[in-house]
Amino acid sequence: MTKVTWKRTAGQAGDRAIRVLWVSALAAVVILNACGPATQSTGLGSTDGTVSVSFTDAPAYGFLNVWITAKAIWFHTDDTAGPDDPAWLKYPVTPYSVDLLTLTNGAISPAIWDKIKLPEGTYKQIRIIMAGTTEALTASAAAHGLQYNNEVVDGLGVDPLYIPDFSHGIRLAGTFTVTTSATLRLAIDFNAGEDIVDIRRKGVTEYYLKPRLAYFDLDDAGAISGTLDAAAEAQASSAQFVFKAEAPNDAAAPEYHVVKR
């Protein structure tokens, strides 16, 4: 068990200046579903490794739904390669629509690219290819009753969510290694609360998805869980709680740093 403590500022809680929450570190991340969408994968030989890719998201306030539709993922060993470089390894998928706001607080989508075959080696760039927002509605978007392949829903209604240069994808930089000895399970980390930009044109608000994506290995991830006593906190109506995880950046001489979420 891990004990997490926090303090209130003066005048907020009187004699309840310090409260303690007991939480347990989970060994696995919640998986929403046992199966994912069909993926077209390309086996390239006996030196292939296996990779699965899912989505996750941070909480976003002000929207009821944030729908996106993915249709391909690209991998490259060079972090400087442009979208037209011929060395990209491209893996299409049957277009898959998901509401990012169902993937918050540690929730992970099913594997959107499930056990694709990727040549063994070190990769430094990923691109996620989305369906065009106003292109013909994909079957997956239609199945969810969407008006656009990518859209946001708030208290006022539905608006298209545009993805600049969608045909070249959303770029992620970072390094990971594929081996033949184990399946690499990656989670692409969105942050809809910060990644959606609204631009007002001639009295009409348009929404654009401009994410700064990250990804992480699901086999090297955990979570924090616990319970807040709402009754005990009722008198402190202005109370706010922040939970942070820390990890050592050096095993020999660790200096702890705050993990994003």
Side-chain angles (χ1 to χ4, degrees), residues 65-217:
N65 309 94
V66 176
W67 288 94
I68 61 172
T69 300
K71 66 177 187 180
I73 189 169
W74 300 357
F75 298 92
H76 208 296
T77 57
D78 184 352
D79 61 355
T80 64
D84 297 322
D85 189 294
W88 283 99
L89 298 177
K90 301 179 179 182
Y91 296 80
V93 68
T94 302
Y96 180 71
S97 300
V98 61
D99 179 5
L100 292 177
L101 298 195
T102 64
L103 304 179
T104 63
N105 295 320
I108 307 291
S109 76
I112 299 172
W113 291 271
D114 191 14
K115 298 180 180 178
I116 58 180
K117 297 298 182 181
L118 200 61
E120 192 173 33
T122 299
Y123 293 83
K124 297 182 178 180
Q125 192 179 167
I126 294 175
R127 286 181 183 264
I128 303 296
I129 311 300
M130 300 294 180
T133 297
T134 57
E135 287 184 331
L137 205 62
T138 64
S140 60
H144 289 290
L146 306 186
Q147 297 182 31
Y148 308 94
N149 288 318
N150 311 294
E151 67 180 37
V152 295
V153 183
D154 59 19
L156 300 177
V158 178
D159 288 289
L161 177 60
Y162 296 104
I163 300 174
D165 199 18
F166 68 90
S167 62
H168 286 155
I170 301 170
R171 179 181 182 273
L172 299 83
T175 299
F176 65 92
T177 301
V178 174
T179 67
T180 59
S181 60
T183 296
L184 179 64
R185 300 190 308 132
L186 297 178
I188 306 297
D189 193 7
F190 286 82
N191 189 346
E194 297 181 2
D195 295 342
I196 296 176
V197 177
D198 58 289
I199 299 175
R200 194 165 183 81
R201 301 179 189 274
K202 297 180 180 180
V204 177
T205 300
E206 296 180 346
Y207 293 97
Y208 292 83
L209 181 64
K210 296 184 176 181
R212 295 166 293 279
L213 297 182
Y215 53 85
F216 58 88
D217 185 346

